[in-house]
Structures are given as structure tokens and as C-alpha cells.
């Protein structure tokens, strides 16, 4: 069960705005990722709890950011309830999309589990609901994912396979690269893996 810490970086000046202290593991239902978020000074600012089913679909999602909260799942596309800071109102949403995304590295792993790409496959289009910080506002985005390379490296804990994905935002054409080993993001825009106390889990 990998445990570690990601730094989440401002996309403009690349300074850390949060740390995500996480643990994750495959399980009977598929895969689960839980994390708490802190400021660089150590103050709690939110949490992530995501469970995928065996096909990579979001079985349960619960996000907290400040006083905002979103709970969601794959149901008739994806369905969610977003609660405001006062707790007096809750708004429901539903979109014919495949899954959720956001600033947490968990969503990158989740998308790869959903798509199950191979290096020989062409790029695959996916529609996601992005929950944007700091108020978890939902926005539908279309992306294209391609697995462009997969390399196995020798480590003290045995071979480690690193997959390199090219992700394209279909509305702007902007492209970026994501490197993932098992269920851990090694590198991605706005994400740095700062600490990892055990090797990534491997998926069957």
C-alpha cells in the first residue's frame, strides 16, 4: 500500500500551494485512494476519497476543499451533489461523461485505469467532469489520451514499469505529458512526487 506526499504547484509560477498526503491500494472493488491536503505550512485545507470499481469507473468520490464538499459516482454518466459552505443548499448535477478529474493525482491514475491503453493503440477520447479548486465548481472537459511509451526499470524492489501518456485538451489543443508507475504519478504538470515510502502497487 503506497503512502507518500505530492506537492501541488501553481501552474503559473510553479510554487507549491498544497501538499497531498496520500495512501492507495487495489482492493476487492478495484482501487481506493485517500488523502488529506495541507498548506505548505501544514494547515488542513481538504481531502480526497476516491474508490474505483474493477473497470476503473468512479464507484464513490468525496472531495472537500475548505467548506465545500462534492460527493459523486458513476450513475447515468456521472452524478454528483455539491454542498455550499453554509450547508444550507446542495446542488445536484449529472453529465453524460465517463469519470471525474481535478487537481489530485488520483484522477490521473483513475483515467488510466478507465482507458486501459496500450502503446500500439491510437489516442482515445474521454469526457470528464473537472472539479476545479478552490470551490469544486464542476466543468465538463474533453481530452484525448495516448500511451506513447512504456519502459521497465530495475530497482532495489524489483522491476518498475513507467508509462508515459500524452494528454491533449480538445478545446484548446494544449498537450502535456504524464508519467505513471502502477498507481503512483511520478511526474505531471502541477504535480511533484515528494515522498514515497513503498513501491507503487501493480494492477493485474
Amino acid at each position: 500500500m503506497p503512502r507518500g506526499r505530492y506537492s501541488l504547484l501553481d501552474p503559473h509560477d510553479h510554487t507549491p500551494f498544497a501538499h497531498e498526503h496520500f495512501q492507495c491500494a487495489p482492493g476487492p472493488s478495484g482501487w481506493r485512494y485517500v488523502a488529506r491536503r495541507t498548506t505548505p505550512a501544514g494547515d488542513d485545507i481538504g481531502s480526497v476519497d476516491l474508490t474505483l470499481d474493477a473497470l476503473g469507473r468512479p464507484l464513490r468520490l468525496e472531495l472537500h476543499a475548505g467548506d465545500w464538499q462534492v460527493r459523486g459516482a458513476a450513475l447515468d454518466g456521472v452524478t454528483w451533489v455539491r454542498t455550499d459552505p453554509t450547508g444550507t443548499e446542495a446542488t445536484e448535477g449529472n453529465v453524460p461523461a465517463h469519470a471525474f478529474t481535478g487537481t489530485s493525482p488520483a484522477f490521473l491514475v483513475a483515467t488510466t485505469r478507465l482507458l486501459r491503453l496500450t502503446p500500439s493503440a491510437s489516442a482515445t477520447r474521454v469526457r470528464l467532469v473537472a472539479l476545479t479548486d478552490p470551490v469544486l465548481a464542476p466543468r465538463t472537459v474533453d481530452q484525448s489520451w495516448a500511451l506513447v511509451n512504456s519502459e521497465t526499470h530495475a530497482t532495489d524492489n524489483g522491476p518498475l514499469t513507467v508509462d508515459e501518456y500524452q494528454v491533449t485538451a480538445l478545446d484548446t489543443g494544449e498537450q502535456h505529458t504524464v508519467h505513471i508507475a502502477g498507481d503512483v504519478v511520478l511526474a505531471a504538470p502541477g504535480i511533484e512526487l515528494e515522498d514515497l515510502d513503498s513501491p507503487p502497487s501493480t494492477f493485474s
Side-chain angles (χ1 to χ4, degrees), residues 142-158:
D142 291 307
Q143 297 178 342
S144 171
W145 281 67
L147 177 56
V148 296
N149 193 26
S150 185
E151 292 185 349
T152 300
H153 303 270
T155 72
D156 292 341
N157 297 299

Side-chain angles (χ1 to χ4, degrees), residues 38-54:
T38 65
T39 65
D43 299 321
D44 285 326
I45 55 172
S47 62
V48 182
D49 191 340
L50 173 64
T51 301
L52 306 181
D53 67 11

Side-chain angles (χ1 to χ4, degrees), residues 75-191:
L75 182 66
D76 297 326
V78 294
T79 299
W80 67 91
V81 176
R82 176 172 172 263
T83 305
D84 66 304
T86 65
T88 58
E89 293 186 23
T91 57
E92 296 184 6
N94 173 263
V95 170
H98 299 95
F100 296 97
T101 191
T103 56
S104 173
F107 293 116
L108 298 177
V109 176
T111 302
T112 65
R113 297 309 304 152
L114 180 72
L115 298 179
R116 309 287 176 96
L117 299 174
T118 61
S120 60
S122 58
T124 298
R125 178 173 177 156
V126 61
R127 173 162 288 181
L128 305 168
V129 173
L131 300 167
T132 54
D133 293 332
V135 296
L136 304 180
R139 180 172 62 93
T140 303
V141 298
D142 291 307
Q143 297 178 342
S144 171
W145 281 67
L147 177 56
V148 296
N149 193 26
S150 185
E151 292 185 349
T152 300
H153 303 270
T155 72
D156 292 341
N157 297 299
L160 180 71
T161 300
V162 179
D163 293 326
E164 177 185 346
Y165 295 90
Q166 184 177 78
V167 183
T168 304
L170 294 181
D171 56 345
T172 64
E174 180 182 359
Q175 293 185 333
H176 61 268
T177 301
V178 174
H179 291 88
I180 294 178
D183 57 357
V184 173
V185 177
L186 302 182
I191 297 169

Side-chain angles (χ1 to χ4, degrees), residues 10-48:
D10 185 286
H12 303 293
D13 59 16
H14 304 292
T15 57
F17 68 86
H19 291 148
E20 191 160 300
H21 308 262
F22 73 94
Q23 63 184 62
C24 55
S29 64
W31 182 70
R32 189 177 182 200
Y33 177 101
V34 294
R36 64 182 183 91
R37 283 189 170 183
T38 65
T39 65
D43 299 321
D44 285 326
I45 55 172
S47 62
V48 182

